[in-house]
Amino acid sequence: AGIVCPYELALAFAENAVENGATLRTGWEVASIEPIEGGLCAVSATGERVTARYLVNAAGVHADAVSAMAGGMRYRILPRRGEYMVLDRSEGSMVRHVIFQTPSALGKGVLVTPTVHGNLLIGPTAKDIEDGDDTATTAEGLDTVRSVASVSVPGLRMGQVIRTFSGVRAVLPERGDFLIGADPEIAGLIHVAGISSPGLTAAPAIAVETVEVLKEA
């Protein structure tokens, strides 16, 4: 397993897209999607309209809602929260590689890994939740991270934790993960949904596959 900074990688992807002619709009909440002749029209919460021949639905935990807006296929995204802890750089040399335990049905389990910035990262948990935007951390979840990570690396100094955070994975409980393809009903609607772990690793290959789907469409 390799180690990257996910934030810097995502920014690099966005910068590369812009350099190749894409327009990046942040904070652009989609309020509705309307079919038009030869494509689709997305309408923002402020009424701004963007039309296109094709719309790629890669909305993460909200992909099911976006599909429903467009009148597309019905599926359910189950948000699954994972909590993490970051230890100070003084602890970063404890391990040199990513350390996994045996994965479970819920995912890869709690790992221990150095980061590109020299810290030590431990986590995540895997708890199904209702609200896909709920990135809170909990005492229960962080206790799980501490206890399970200490099995992999005894002697972790939890007094050196400098940050806790969580993220939410988009799980497709009825269909399995990685739903990539054209909608069977709505022309121009392409789904890239249910991209659970290892989504970051798979992202470049998913992009290549999505381009092939667009070519076929």
Side-chain angles (χ1 to χ4, degrees), residues 45-61:
T46 60
E48 186 179 3
R49 301 167 69 87
V50 171
T51 61
R53 291 174 61 195
Y54 300 99
L55 185 153
V56 178
N57 173 19
V61 293

Side-chain angles (χ1 to χ4, degrees), residues 178-190:
F178 287 54
L179 171 62
I180 304 171
D183 191 277
E185 302 294 334
I186 303 299
L189 179 61
I190 310 296

